[in-house]
Structure formats: structure tokens, C-alpha cells
Amino acid sequence: MLRLFLILSVFAAAEAEAAGCNDAMLSITDWSVGQASKGSVEIKLRFRSNAPKQIRMLQGLAYFYDALDERIGALPVGPDAIIPAGGEYTEHRTWSDHLFGRLLKLRKQDVKTATCVKAVLYENGSKETF
């Protein structure tokens, strides 16, 4: 079951990267990775919202790339993240080290991050899709 979920996550990440998205609405201000258990890593991401209003729900991804622009992997953000306009949001995820174990080996300065927001629901009920 875990393998199926991982495969679907990879396909979803590839589809989102190919489609339109807003890459400026969220920015990753910090991240860390550690060994969670044998076979898995814990990833902590801190985001800053650049949205004009408070976010109530979003569909987005956070990407990791190495210094040579090779993609390491992508993680879903939210979907029920509540983020004030200009505020921060922290998310913890545990993933297979098959996908993200490389982050344990790389120096942090050799890793680049990016975000892709596909859709957002604001606190006032208005929606945007990208």
C-alpha cells in the first residue's frame, strides 16, 4: 500500500510540475531532514505566505532539487493549511528514504527548494486556481 501511495505521489508531482501553478504564493523559508526510523526520513518545512488574504485550504507541492538542478522529490503541502496573509506555516512529513534519503547525504547549501500552488481557498470563501 505504501508503494502504491509513493508511486501515485510521484505521478501527481510530475503532473503538477507540467501544469500551471503559482510559484510565488508560498516560499520555503527553512527546512530540515532527519532519520525518522529505518527506511524513513522526517522532513520539516517552514513556509511563508505571499498571498493577499488568509489561506484556508490549498493544493500545492514543495520541490527539492540538487545543485545540478536534478529533482530529488516533491511533497504535497496542506491541504488544510491555515496560513495568515504574510504569515508562516510549518509542516512535518515522514517519507520513505527511498525518495528523500538523498537529502540526508547532501549539504543543505547544495539543495534548492521551490513551491507550486495549483489552487487556493481563502478565508473569505473566494477561490483561485492556477
Side-chain angles (χ1 to χ4, degrees):
M1 184 67 169
L2 177 60
R3 285 183 188 221
L4 177 62
F5 178 73
L6 293 174
I7 291 168
L8 292 175
S9 294
V10 169
F11 285 124
E15 180 182 318
E17 191 172 36
C21 69
N22 183 321
D23 61 359
M25 184 169 289
L26 289 180
S27 56
I28 298 172
T29 59
D30 195 20
W31 65 273
S32 63
V33 64
Q35 191 77 49
S37 63
K38 184 175 171 62
S40 63
V41 294
E42 179 182 46
I43 300 172
K44 181 178 177 183
L45 293 158
R46 187 169 50 219
F47 299 92
R48 174 166 301 282
S49 171
N50 300 310
K53 304 175 245 183
Q54 179 166 307
I55 295 171
R56 184 168 77 198
M57 189 182 298
L58 67 89
Q59 179 185 22
L61 293 165
Y63 293 98
F64 291 92
Y65 297 91
D66 69 15
L68 300 174
D69 294 324
E70 289 293 320
R71 189 168 80 185
I72 296 168
L75 297 170
V77 181
D80 299 321
I82 297 173
I83 313 171
E88 291 192 342
Y89 169 73
T90 301
E91 189 157 300
H92 292 84
R93 295 283 179 142
T94 302
W95 289 92
S96 165
D97 64 3
H98 174 72
L99 291 175
F100 293 101
R102 189 166 177 228
L103 289 175
L104 294 168
K105 300 173 194 169
L106 295 174
R107 292 186 296 176
K108 195 169 184 175
Q109 64 263 32
D110 292 336
V111 176
K112 297 185 257 182
T113 60
T115 60
C116 171
V117 175
K118 300 277 293 157
V120 64
L121 173 66
Y122 294 108
E123 187 59 39
N124 67 2
S126 62
K127 298 177 193 177
E128 276 189 283
T129 56
F130 307 99

